[in-house]
Amino acid sequence: DNPARVRAESVANYRNVFGDDYYAFVHRGTRFLCLDSMILGSGLPAESEQWQWLAEQALDTDIPTMVLMHSLACINEPGKPQN
């Protein structure tokens, strides 16, 4: 079950317009891992990809790390109800 009703097509559309929906960056000696919380628990291939990426990122423990999660600005199309 996909409680957020995120579809693979929606994830692909987001990535085509905005780029990666999960990413990392370093600022002032701290690494930030930003996760797409909308795909967690979705069962989509994007969720598996994100978990694999996070596992790889977790291997690098050289600097302090913060994990952040975000929700997409829109799931389907801007201005449309999200069900």
Side-chain angles (χ1 to χ4, degrees), residues 22-73:
Y22 55 91
Y23 50 91
F25 64 91
V26 175
H27 178 70
R28 294 188 178 194
T30 300
R31 184 171 48 143
F32 293 84
L33 305 178
C34 303
L35 305 178
D36 177 359
S37 64
M38 298 297 292
I39 61 174
L40 296 177
S42 68
L44 295 173
E47 179 186 13
S48 297
E49 294 166 9
Q50 180 174 254
W51 282 120
Q52 179 62 38
W53 174 84
L54 182 60
E56 292 167 5
Q57 295 295 312
L59 296 175
D60 181 6
T61 58
D62 293 341
I63 62 175
T65 301
M66 299 281 296
V67 178
L68 309 170
M69 293 193 288
H70 69 89
S71 296
L72 302 178

Side-chain angles (χ1 to χ4, degrees), residues 6 10-11 14 18 21 36-39 70-75:
V6 175
S10 299
V11 174
Y14 179 91
F18 299 105
D21 52 326
D36 177 359
S37 64
M38 298 297 292
I39 61 174
H70 69 89
S71 296
L72 302 178
C74 60
I75 296 175

